[in-house]
Amino acid sequence: YNPYWGIQDGDIRNSRERKIAEPILMLNHLFAADNIRISTGVAYQFGTNARSRLGYYNAPNPDPTYYRYLPSYYINSPIGANFESARIAEEAFLQTPQLRWNTLYKSNLNNFPIGMAAYLLHDDVVNDNQITINTVTNLKLNEHLKLDVGTTYIKLNSTNYAEITDLLGAAYHEDKDAFSDTRNDVNGELLKFKGDKFNYHYTLEASDWNSFVQVRSNYKLWDSFLAFQYGKTEYRREGLFKNERFIGSLGKSETASFTNMGAKGGFTYKFNGRHWMGVHGVYLKKAPTLQNSFVNPRENNQLVPNLQQQTNTSLDFNYFLRLPKLMGRLTGFYTRFQNTTDINFFFVDAGVGSDFVQEVVTDLDKLHMGVEFGLEYQISPTVK
């Protein structure tokens, strides 16, 4: 069931569509000799990712599944269950479970001031330009030792804004926040029309480079590897709208900079062709994601307070068994993610008022550990 489409003039019209046009251009080069292999690649990705949605301003929510329109709203009322109203709500929902486009047009035509949109359709647009450069060198030092060295560089420029695609019969939109009655762009025009940017407009810059070196060994009874990683990540936002609600919304934010480093290793021992064991471990300090670095990038330049690097620690042990008809594996693992950040957006409708809220959770600590055991037995040529 999808409540976001409805019938308009006999045709199905969906209010939530996604349009993606992001071509990738790649150039790769490979050099190979007896004891060396060098692979280099350059990629450039650009284009647009747009998602449409309905906006409503000092008007009822048009979503048929909005909680105030459902029977449960009346049954769970704090003043007591109202079953008659719940029955009426159920009948109304079953009669019109889809979006009512004609009602949106009528609301705009009857809105006051005349011509101002109560409902409109807009796109949340992301225009990205990203270049990636990567090179990896594989060296064979001798019969048993190999050396791998590599570097990756990524540069992203992302422009984000909302664009009016259909005023649904209205003449213009007043670009204000519905909750605080403040302007979204103090320096711009208050009245917006089809094709105009409104609500928010900002850019994000991100750069990330990472280098590693790895040594691999291979012998008759055992294999091993040891690797080290070092790099740097930087994020910055630039606001192109001066939001009346936030003093620091226009211009460039401070740069969030992180130094990434880590090490990982593994060892495998072969008792014989039927029994072998392996152990792997990793320790990484990595930058938080770009999405979890700014509190609300659509409105201001504020970084998450005390933004920290994420620390990943992992260790696993494996034992393998391979017999003519029986195969098995025993695994024990421990993985911990520390200093992670999570940002959520939601609407609060309380008795003392309503607002759109950003929730920032920091110092998250997640632990995954356990044991896995599996056996496979060949009962017959066709059954396992």
Side-chain angles (χ1 to χ4, degrees), residues 85-229:
S85 296
R87 183 188 62 80
I88 296 173
E90 179 186 12
E91 292 178 354
F93 176 78
L94 293 176
Q95 289 175 3
T96 56
Q98 301 302 140
L99 195 64
R100 293 180 289 179
W101 287 101
N102 292 336
T103 300
L104 303 183
Y105 277 86
K106 290 178 181 178
S107 298
N108 278 346
L109 292 175
N110 297 326
N111 195 31
F112 184 82
I114 297 174
M116 188 171 74
Y119 297 96
L120 60 82
L121 191 66
H122 74 270
D123 281 344
D124 290 313
V125 182
V126 180
N127 289 328
D128 284 347
N129 289 274
Q130 178 175 294
I131 186 168
T132 303
I133 303 172
N134 179 71
T135 180
V136 177
T137 300
N138 308 113
L139 287 171
K140 184 178 180 182
L141 303 179
N142 56 45
E143 184 181 353
H144 301 290
L145 293 177
K146 295 180 180 179
L147 177 67
D148 306 316
V149 181
T151 298
T152 301
Y153 175 79
I154 301 174
K155 178 69 173 180
L156 170 68
N157 287 284
S158 178
T159 303
N160 302 258
Y161 57 87
E163 179 181 341
I164 299 175
T165 57
D166 194 334
L167 286 166
L168 305 179
Y172 65 90
H173 168 64
E174 193 175 68
D175 193 17
K176 284 186 175 183
D177 177 69
F179 299 106
S180 59
D181 197 35
T182 54
R183 296 181 62 170
N184 294 320
D185 183 17
V186 175
N187 296 335
E189 297 292 335
L190 175 61
L191 304 185
K192 303 286 184 173
F193 304 92
K194 181 179 179 180
D196 287 348
K197 297 179 178 64
F198 80 112
N199 198 6
Y200 65 91
H201 189 194
Y202 66 95
T203 64
L204 291 173
E205 294 181 14
S207 64
D208 179 83
W209 71 265
N210 183 53
S211 297
F212 77 92
V213 58
Q214 177 177 253
V215 179
R216 293 179 290 156
S217 62
N218 187 298
Y219 291 86
K220 182 178 180 180
L221 294 180
W222 59 274
D223 302 327
S224 68
F225 72 90
L226 182 63
F228 297 94
Q229 170 188 308

Side-chain angles (χ1 to χ4, degrees), residues 124-353:
D124 290 313
V125 182
V126 180
N127 289 328
D128 284 347
N129 289 274
Q130 178 175 294
I131 186 168
T132 303
I133 303 172
N134 179 71
T135 180
V136 177
T137 300
N138 308 113
L139 287 171
K140 184 178 180 182
L141 303 179
N142 56 45
E143 184 181 353
H144 301 290
L145 293 177
K146 295 180 180 179
L147 177 67
D148 306 316
V149 181
T151 298
T152 301
Y153 175 79
I154 301 174
K155 178 69 173 180
L156 170 68
N157 287 284
S158 178
T159 303
N160 302 258
Y161 57 87
E163 179 181 341
I164 299 175
T165 57
D166 194 334
L167 286 166
L168 305 179
Y172 65 90
H173 168 64
E174 193 175 68
D175 193 17
K176 284 186 175 183
D177 177 69
F179 299 106
S180 59
D181 197 35
T182 54
R183 296 181 62 170
N184 294 320
D185 183 17
V186 175
N187 296 335
E189 297 292 335
L190 175 61
L191 304 185
K192 303 286 184 173
F193 304 92
K194 181 179 179 180
D196 287 348
K197 297 179 178 64
F198 80 112
N199 198 6
Y200 65 91
H201 189 194
Y202 66 95
T203 64
L204 291 173
E205 294 181 14
S207 64
D208 179 83
W209 71 265
N210 183 53
S211 297
F212 77 92
V213 58
Q214 177 177 253
V215 179
R216 293 179 290 156
S217 62
N218 187 298
Y219 291 86
K220 182 178 180 180
L221 294 180
W222 59 274
D223 302 327
S224 68
F225 72 90
L226 182 63
F228 297 94
Q229 170 188 308
Y230 183 83
K232 190 171 184 179
T233 301
E234 291 185 343
Y235 301 140
R236 187 171 64 178
R237 176 194 183 272
E238 181 178 5
L240 303 178
F241 277 3
K242 184 178 180 181
N243 193 306
E244 190 176 357
R245 298 179 297 282
F246 299 95
I247 298 176
S249 56
L250 185 67
K252 295 182 178 181
S253 70
E254 62 178 295
T255 300
S257 183
F258 307 92
T259 299
N260 308 314
M261 61 183 64
K264 64 178 180 178
F267 178 80
T268 302
Y269 186 79
K270 309 163 191 173
F271 298 100
N272 51 50
R274 296 182 175 181
H275 304 270
W276 70 95
M277 55 154 285
V279 60
H280 305 88
V282 61
Y283 177 82
L284 295 174
K285 292 186 73 68
K286 55 187 295 187
T289 63
L290 180 59
Q291 292 78 11
N292 287 328
S293 296
F294 292 93
V295 175
N296 186 359
R298 289 189 174 184
E299 294 187 337
N300 60 73
N301 285 333
Q302 183 182 0
L303 287 162
V304 171
N306 300 318
L307 188 61
Q308 301 181 69
Q309 290 175 284
Q310 178 177 314
T311 301
N312 297 350
T313 308
S314 183
L315 182 68
D316 70 80
F317 171 83
N318 299 275
Y319 174 78
F320 297 90
L321 171 68
R322 177 172 292 177
L323 300 176
K325 289 189 176 183
L326 181 66
M327 296 178 61
R329 187 184 74 175
L330 174 65
T331 299
F333 63 91
Y334 174 97
T335 303
R336 188 175 184 184
F337 304 91
Q338 296 173 276
N339 301 328
T340 61
T341 301
D342 186 42
I343 298 179
N344 295 294
F345 299 84
F346 54 88
F347 179 75
V348 173
D349 190 1
V352 294

